[in-house]
Amino acid sequence: MSYTLIIGNKAYSSWSMRPWVAMKADGIPFDEIVIPIYMDGSAEAIRKYSPAGKVPILHDDGFVVWDSLAIIEYLAEKHPTLWPAEAKARAVARSISAEMHSGFVPLRKLCTMNIRRHYPDFELPDDVRGDVRRIETIWTETRAEYGKGGPFLFGDWTAADAMYAPVVTRFKTYDVKVSKPVQDYMEAVLAHPAVREWYAGGEAEEWVLPQYEY
Ligand SMILES: N[C@@H](CCC(=O)N[C@@H](CS)C(=O)NCC(=O)O)C(=O)O
């Protein structure tokens, strides 16, 4: 078993961050290849690894899996500790992860991930505020029901935290005002060694994408 994860820039590629921190946090060894996105030659470079032309991509001894959630689900078959152990908790973890994967378009469009920046008092329009409210509810209710054993959504870190880690970075970057319990959850995510390692990687990158800088 030999995994290679192909990802985009750590500063900007929110989809890449999900499986990367999931694998790191679970102690799954892998090699990484970083392809800077939205530059000359990026699309061709990504297509060498997957015909879908998007990162992240997982290669497992030549077998290709693409899409962040599909990668996590593929890995979870061999590494079941990625998801919560209890069936109902696992179903909730998958539900909230799927909700993230297919939703929150206003937030994702306006507040693109940029871990190197901080925009104090960033003005959020109503549709983005709606996303923020729903995410706060998800985090608060999940923590209240399943999170008593630790600081993460299901107590211990799981792939659901990895799926929401880029959202946490967005809330930090765009100075989103949140409740104290949500602030505590965000601080736990930002302090996780896998997340810190991702930040360090992104801060060291030299590529700048003007379309993601305000
Ligand atoms: N739903 C996909 C989205 C992947 C995606 O949109 N990746 C972006 C980077 S964050 C990408 O590869 N962009 C490069 C391009 O479109 O050329 C996933 O979860 O993996």
Side-chain angles (χ1 to χ4, degrees):
M1 184 164 66
S2 157
Y3 298 126
T4 302
L5 190 66
I6 296 101
I7 58 172
N9 319 32
K10 290 186 176 135
Y12 304 114
S13 183
S14 60
W15 298 108
S16 301
M17 184 182 187
R18 297 176 170 95
W20 193 97
V21 294
M23 292 175 83
K24 284 274 172 182
D26 213 62
I28 302 170
F30 63 99
D31 294 324
E32 81 179 46
I33 296 173
V34 180
I35 301 177
I37 52 177
Y38 306 124
M39 298 177 73
D40 284 349
S42 301
E44 297 71 28
I46 295 171
R47 279 206 172 74
K48 280 191 201 145
Y49 296 97
S50 159
K54 303 267 184 215
V55 286
I57 305 155
L58 181 76
H59 280 209
D60 178 10
D61 276 334
F63 180 70
V64 183
V65 188
W66 62 98
D67 183 278
S68 53
L69 193 50
I71 291 169
I72 287 171
E73 290 293 11
Y74 173 76
L75 290 168
E77 300 204 28
K78 288 180 201 157
H79 309 276
T81 52
L82 282 167
W83 291 120
E86 196 273 318
K88 285 187 176 151
R90 195 160 60 247
V92 171
R94 286 191 159 118
S95 297
I96 63 175
S97 296
E99 186 172 348
M100 195 288 114
H101 198 55
S102 57
F104 308 128
V105 175
L107 174 76
R108 293 202 328 243
K109 269 195 176 155
L110 184 75
C111 303
T112 55
M113 192 174 93
N114 187 340
I115 60 141
R116 294 189 296 224
R117 305 283 283 191
H118 180 62
Y119 303 109
D121 298 320
F122 190 85
E123 199 63 41
L124 297 179
D126 285 349
D127 55 355
V128 177
R129 278 184 196 285
D131 284 349
V132 169
R133 273 197 300 275
R134 172 64 191 148
I135 292 164
E136 281 207 83
T137 302
I138 291 171
W139 290 349
T140 307
E141 290 184 354
T142 307
R143 289 249 332 111
E145 182 72 25
Y146 302 99
K148 301 214 166 51
F152 300 109
L153 293 173
F154 295 86
D156 292 336
W157 177 278
T158 70
D161 300 294
M163 288 297 293
Y164 278 94
V167 176
V168 170
T169 77
R170 287 172 155 109
F171 280 18
K172 178 176 190 266
T173 296
Y174 296 93
D175 198 25
V176 175
K177 309 290 188 279
V178 293
S179 67
K180 175 76 171 74
V182 167
Q183 186 63 42
D184 291 345
Y185 170 64
M186 287 173 54
E187 279 169 17
V189 169
L190 292 165
H192 191 286
V195 174
R196 290 170 72 113
E197 194 179 334
W198 179 272
Y199 262 81
E203 274 150 14
E205 287 173 352
E206 288 174 2
W207 306 293
V208 175
L209 295 179
Q211 66 269 40
Y212 294 148
E213 303 286 337
Y214 278 98

